[in-house]
Amino acid sequence: PLIDVGDLEEFAIRPAPQGITVKCRITRDKKGMDRGMYPTYYLHLEREHGKKVFLLAGRKRKKSKTSNYLISIDPTDLSRGGESFIGKLRSNLMGTKFTVYDNGVNPMKTTSSLEASVLRQELAAICYETNVLGFKGPRKMSVIIPGMNMDHERVSIRPRNEHETLLARWQNKNTESVIELHNKTPVWNDDTQSYVLNFHGRVTQASVKNFQIIHDNDPDYIVMQFGRVAEDVFTMDYNYPMCALQAFAIALSSFDSKLACE
């Protein structure tokens, strides 16, 4: 089935159609003076016969105390004030917890009681835990995303303070209108002496960064998967109820996580 992108901004936050895997690819561009430290990441939708459709670009901001990625629907304009700014990914100081926002207003930066509709939405939170094997084994990820209502639309989560955030809800076990996902635990393979997941041909290179995100109730339904196919090329596939912006930001967090290891 051909996935119609149409309006990029609308497509990026629209959940994947039910029953269809949206297959994408991320390329990492390290060219230029500071790109080694601040590469740009490009997300493309894969079409048949090798055609690709540009979806999103992401890049780390330089002057930020914590990791802070801007995500844009224009591959050439990655500025905060630009028309194309669609969302951002921000980490805590440790680099172990990340939150994904849309382009709404930060409630801390405004004094007036704004209408709720212009406050920024939280689209995902990602938590990385070190594992008992230290850096050698697979990382443990928890991904918290807003739940879906009866019409299969995303519940709007627009925190006004830190007690209402996705991370706070998750930590306080208040998971009423959110979905908690985890990475699928890889299985040890004696032949390759490594932990492996079955990506059904979508991932060709072993890497600790490869992951699949599932819900504990249905471990065979892959909500999202991400893995390396070449030095700077990765596949990223996602399914309902995730959207492109959520999945891309989760992938960016995995490049950044301090617990990541090459």
Side-chain angles (χ1 to χ4, degrees):
L2 197 62
I3 292 157
D4 178 34
V5 174
D7 174 352
L8 253 188
E9 187 164 0
E10 195 265 333
F11 176 82
I13 57 173
R14 187 171 72 216
Q18 284 175 280
I20 294 175
T21 299
V22 183
K23 294 183 174 174
C24 305
R25 157 167 301 228
I26 294 175
T27 44
R28 175 169 56 186
D29 177 9
K30 292 177 174 165
K31 294 195 243 342
M33 283 291 289
D34 56 359
R35 287 284 174 85
M37 286 292 291
Y38 300 97
T40 306
Y41 298 90
Y42 299 103
L43 179 71
H44 285 86
L45 178 68
E46 291 186 357
R47 289 260 198 252
E48 59 284 0
H49 314 307
K51 292 198 178 76
K52 295 190 309 196
V53 180
F54 170 79
L55 295 177
L56 296 167
R59 189 171 184 200
K60 197 175 194 170
R61 296 185 75 180
K62 292 180 189 166
K63 295 195 165 47
S64 210
K65 291 191 189 67
T66 58
S67 290
N68 188 353
Y69 288 80
L70 291 185
I71 300 171
S72 167
I73 49 173
D74 180 339
T76 59
D77 176 13
L78 283 141
S79 62
R80 176 75 175 78
E83 287 286 290
S84 313
F85 169 66
I86 189 176
K88 68 183 224 180
L89 167 76
R90 174 149 235 171
S91 82
N92 63 351
L93 284 168
M94 298 281 293
T96 53
K97 293 185 171 69
F98 294 80
T99 302
V100 183
Y101 302 99
D102 70 0
N103 55 7
V105 178
N106 179 346
M108 306 304 164
K109 292 202 171 141
T110 166
T111 46
S112 61
S113 50
L114 285 166
E115 287 171 44
S117 61
V118 298
L119 287 179
R120 66 185 182 188
Q121 284 192 73
E122 287 194 6
L123 293 173
I126 310 110
C127 305
Y128 290 90
E129 291 159 50
T130 41
N131 56 49
V132 281
L133 302 167
F135 291 135
K136 288 287 172 273
R139 295 179 290 169
K140 192 167 182 300
M141 292 168 73
S142 299
V143 174
I144 304 94
I145 58 173
M148 307 301 275
N149 65 20
M150 301 308 275
D151 299 323
H152 304 294
E153 291 162 347
R154 187 184 303 113
V155 175
S156 170
I157 294 190
R158 301 178 193 269
R160 290 187 175 274
N161 57 55
E162 56 220 37
H163 305 299
E164 297 174 357
T165 65
L166 284 172
L167 281 170
R169 290 173 193 229
W170 179 67
Q171 278 155 345
N172 300 329
K173 305 274 186 281
N174 168 21
T175 50
E176 188 189 347
S177 51
V178 303
I179 301 169
E180 182 178 345
L181 305 165
H182 297 280
N183 62 320
K184 194 168 189 168
T185 309
V187 186
W188 180 257
N189 180 325
D190 273 336
D191 295 339
T192 58
Q193 289 290 299
S194 62
Y195 288 95
V196 290
L197 291 161
N198 185 358
F199 287 92
H200 299 286
R202 290 286 292 156
V203 174
T204 52
Q205 290 196 4
S207 165
V208 283
K209 287 193 166 71
N210 298 351
F211 63 81
Q212 291 177 321
I213 301 287
I214 53 164
H215 192 282
D216 291 349
N217 291 352
D218 187 2
D220 293 326
Y221 180 76
I222 308 292
V223 181
M224 171 189 174
Q225 68 179 18
F226 169 84
R228 180 177 236 153
V229 288
E231 172 64 30
D232 288 309
V233 184
F234 305 81
T235 48
M236 185 200 92
D237 303 339
Y238 66 94
N239 280 298
Y240 180 87
M242 219 172 253
C243 68
L245 180 55
Q246 286 169 321
F248 184 48
I250 292 165
L252 289 176
S253 79
S254 84
F255 285 114
D256 194 84
S257 168
K258 298 284 189 287
L259 307 176
C261 38
E262 282 297 346

